[in-house]
Amino acid sequence: MSESNITGCILGTAMGDAIGLPYEGLSRRRAAKLLGPPTHHRLFFGRGMVSDDTEHTCFTAQALIASGGDVELFRKDLAWRLRWWLLGLPAGIGLATLKSIVRLWLGFNPRNSGVFSAGNGPAMRAAILGAAISDRPQLRSFVRASSRLTHTDPKAEYGAFAVALAAQFAQQQSSNSSTAYLAELEACLGHEAQELIELLHQAAASAQAGETSLTFAQSIGQAKGVSGYIYRSVPVALHACFRYPNDYAAAIKAIVECGGDTDSVAAIAGGIIGCRVGKAGIPEIWLDNLIEWPRSIPWMEQLAEQLQVTTETGKSSSHRGRDRTFQSHIWALPFRNIFFLFIVLFHGFRRLLPPY
Ligand SMILES: [Mg+2]
């Protein structure tokens, strides 16, 4: 792995999230009338912002840095970041994630804080694990720790692992075949994840036949938009990755066209393809028009650099300077979140008005 892989993973997640966000929950027909195609940011006068998918990916990166490869430290650190995140009143949060963080605040151990759900929460923070961890058993245990913090249905962990492994494979420039990836996934997860593996085989065959992600989504019952169920979100995200392994913008566009949970599905695929194409493969205008602070693009790039150092040295010490830089701006987060909440509410009201 190289620095550009990790940078590409974080920025790829962020841009998929930001481009997909205004379309979340809209039907395809309505999205076309109200917003038009996802060629640029459409959240706020041509600018974009990120949601929980990117925030959780950054927390996971920070927890990886703090852990220095120790899964117990990782679990505890990520749990604290989620606890504080909830106090910032995030505008978008999954129900299982909300319940689990409340349980963490009530004193539940991060091992038992999760609730039985197969929502896509664990998948949206999984690509970064695959980008940063090359050892397979270690990857498996980190994905499990991250997933179970909020979701205990084993399906959630399998879906998250499929994403993490795809990110790992995406870094190998030579490997462009879904066959090797699916064989490895099957070897790692075994029979219990058979349903997911079959869905992913279907996705690979559909991509190979040149079908659009929309056609595939329709074939698995997602004609009205891709749901937040991890066995629907992840196969559609991976379809776009199989179909456009080197074309970041085309993959994001293909996903947004499916409707439904557009920001999370695009964030998942964006994190995977970002590992392969790096920052250079992401449209510059998308990066330039993100309005985020304190978690700006340069901040995310510094985070990626720091994570790269940790993966190379196995040491967590150097992250402290980085964390301090972030904490000096922590007062800005409530203001940022209030601004973001107003934009989300504006979109909510805008949708009540024509064109229908
Ligand atoms: Mg989101």
Side-chain angles (χ1 to χ4, degrees), residues 17 21 51-53 263-264:
D17 181 6
L21 190 61
S51 68
D52 51 349
D53 313 84
D263 63 324
S264 294

Side-chain angles (χ1 to χ4, degrees), residues 69-341:
D70 180 330
V71 73
E72 287 311 317
L73 287 178
F74 169 78
R75 192 196 316 270
K76 280 183 197 152
D77 191 273
L78 184 56
W80 273 112
R81 290 179 195 279
L82 291 176
R83 284 186 188 99
W84 291 117
W85 174 72
L86 184 66
L87 295 193
L89 300 177
I93 182 168
L95 188 59
T97 304
L98 174 64
K99 284 183 187 167
S100 306
I101 302 175
V102 168
R103 282 160 65 94
L104 282 170
W105 273 118
L106 290 176
F108 279 80
N109 187 290
R111 286 178 167 278
N112 312 311
S113 56
V115 298
F116 193 80
S117 164
N120 60 18
M124 72 194 196
R125 54 176 181 264
I128 188 67
L129 293 169
I133 302 171
S134 50
D135 178 70
R136 289 274 149 77
Q138 196 190 16
L139 181 61
R140 189 78 202 271
S141 70
F142 274 71
V143 168
R144 177 171 298 164
S146 163
S147 303
R148 292 203 180 160
L149 259 180
T150 52
H151 294 66
T152 58
D153 186 332
K155 285 178 178 176
E157 185 195 325
Y158 302 151
F161 185 76
V163 172
L165 190 70
Q168 215 181 52
F169 266 72
Q171 294 174 335
Q172 300 157 8
Q173 296 298 325
S174 57
S175 118
N176 219 342
S177 113
S178 52
T179 319
Y181 161 73
L182 289 170
E184 183 62 31
L185 186 68
E186 209 162 350
C188 289
L189 293 182
H191 189 70
E192 273 176 80
Q194 203 52 45
E195 187 189 344
L196 175 66
I197 287 160
E198 272 166 29
L199 283 162
L200 296 181
H201 272 289
Q202 243 176 283
S206 160
Q208 211 159 23
E211 287 178 5
T212 64
S213 298
L214 176 62
T215 305
F216 171 69
Q218 287 168 334
S219 77
I220 59 166
Q222 306 300 290
K224 287 188 177 156
V226 184
S227 88
Y229 174 39
I230 200 160
Y231 275 18
R232 296 296 175 265
S233 304
V234 167
V236 174
L238 281 173
H239 180 279
C241 298
F242 295 146
R243 183 77 174 78
Y244 306 103
N246 301 301
D247 190 342
Y248 178 86
I252 300 301
K253 191 164 173 276
I255 287 167
V256 171
E257 275 166 1
C258 296
D261 198 357
T262 43
D263 63 324
S264 294
V265 181
I268 293 166
I272 295 168
I273 299 171
C275 282
R276 178 183 287 269
V277 301
K279 185 189 180 186
I282 301 170
E284 218 175 317
I285 190 151
W286 292 7
L287 293 163
D288 287 347
N289 286 324
L290 189 80
I291 36 164
E292 274 297 339
W293 198 77
R295 290 191 197 95
S296 60
I297 297 281
W299 182 83
M300 289 187 225
E301 286 182 274
Q302 277 178 309
L303 176 65
E305 274 169 42
Q306 209 61 56
L307 179 54
Q308 178 61 28
V309 171
T310 307
T311 59
E312 279 167 6
T313 61
K315 282 185 193 145
S316 58
S317 57
S318 50
H319 116 281
R320 302 207 180 283
R322 169 84 253 112
D323 228 28
R324 251 204 311 274
T325 311
F326 180 61
Q327 264 151 20
S328 68
H329 298 308
I330 208 149
W331 56 269
L333 274 175
F335 295 101
R336 182 265 172 208
N337 288 352
I338 288 168
F339 178 65
F340 182 65
L341 180 65

